[in-house]
Amino acid sequence: MIEVEVKARAPEDIVEKIAALGAKLLVVENHQDLYFNSPLRDFIVSDEALRIRIKEEGARLTYKGPKLDQTTKSRLERTVKIDDPLQMEQILLALGFMLSAQVRKRRTKYSYDGVILALDDVEGLGRFVEVEAEGEGDYEGQRQKVLSILSRLGLNESIRSSYLQLLEEKKKNDENGEKSQEL
């Protein structure tokens, strides 16, 4: 399946903007995402991701391939349900995968015009909105649709970085800030 997705920082009035579209509230979830890096290749360099997502309804193991275009976060995604996330983590570690980061967020999901709008409060990063279309089909049509909905929300700049990448950038900036204060 190709996941067609765009993301932007959420302005203060994003809930009102989502409501004005006529989006329907689906669910509020808490996510704990465990990201792993491969012993065979660096997923940062190859633009891939391997993650265990733990939420109230259960856990999933997800592989995400490299991004497919320069304006969205669209990529091949493969996901399987797992019964025991701790054992899955232990299997990955035993195979040489390394736990590279954890991302925690509270996600409020809405449905609108065949897409999912996700309002994410990400620990350590702030608030974001994602617009996501899933499924096999007209990739370019779906890409245009999610970009159009993002624009209707008044958000014209898409962030292609993952939360994992944004947390890494923040960590580097914080470390550089501390080093410059020491000098």
Side-chain angles (χ1 to χ4, degrees):
M1 168 188 66
I2 301 295
E3 174 190 53
V4 181
E5 177 184 310
V6 290
K7 171 174 46 195
R9 288 215 173 262
E12 295 274 330
D13 61 346
I14 191 64
V15 173
E16 292 81 7
K17 289 179 176 186
I18 290 171
L21 284 178
K24 305 267 188 273
L25 177 64
L26 296 175
V27 67
V28 178
E29 304 170 327
N30 292 297
H31 293 188
Q32 177 186 6
D33 293 341
L34 307 175
Y35 285 90
F36 295 86
N37 206 344
S38 171
L40 303 175
R41 63 183 176 268
D42 186 346
F43 286 163
I44 293 170
V45 174
S46 64
D47 192 27
E48 297 169 282
L50 182 65
R51 156 191 94 201
I52 296 174
R53 171 167 286 163
I54 304 165
K55 55 186 183 177
E56 294 85 352
E57 71 175 30
R60 305 252 188 291
L61 177 70
T62 300
Y63 164 78
K64 294 185 176 210
K67 294 178 193 86
L68 299 174
D69 64 57
Q70 297 299 312
T71 57
T72 70
K73 293 180 62 224
S74 303
R75 51 186 13 180
L76 172 72
E77 182 177 301
R78 301 278 186 229
T79 299
V80 294
K81 184 177 180 179
I82 54 176
D83 293 327
D84 190 333
L86 180 58
Q87 286 301 312
M88 185 76 243
E89 178 182 1
Q90 293 305 310
I91 290 169
L92 292 172
L93 293 172
L95 291 172
F97 286 82
M98 296 139 299
L99 180 63
S100 56
Q102 290 190 49
V103 177
R104 296 177 192 275
K105 68 179 171 278
R106 181 171 182 83
R107 172 170 279 180
T108 305
K109 289 170 73 172
Y110 301 86
S111 175
Y112 173 72
D113 194 22
V115 302
I116 297 294
L117 302 175
L119 183 56
D120 291 339
D121 290 297
V122 183
E123 193 174 288
L125 287 177
R127 198 171 221 196
F128 296 83
V129 64
E130 293 185 352
V131 182
E132 179 180 326
E134 291 183 348
E136 306 299 330
D138 177 18
Y139 164 72
E140 184 56 32
Q142 290 178 333
R143 190 177 83 78
Q144 290 303 322
K145 185 175 191 174
V146 298
L147 288 168
S148 172
I149 291 170
L150 191 70
S151 180
R152 282 188 254 161
L153 290 170
L155 306 169
N156 296 312
E157 188 172 335
S158 176
I159 298 170
R160 293 185 71 240
S161 299
S162 67
Y163 294 133
L164 176 61
Q165 291 168 319
L166 292 172
L167 282 169
E168 287 296 319
E169 288 172 21
K170 184 177 187 287
K171 182 179 172 184
K172 284 180 188 172
N173 290 338
D174 290 348
E175 288 171 358
N176 288 338
E178 287 176 14
K179 287 178 185 174
S180 65
Q181 287 179 358
E182 291 172 5
L183 299 176

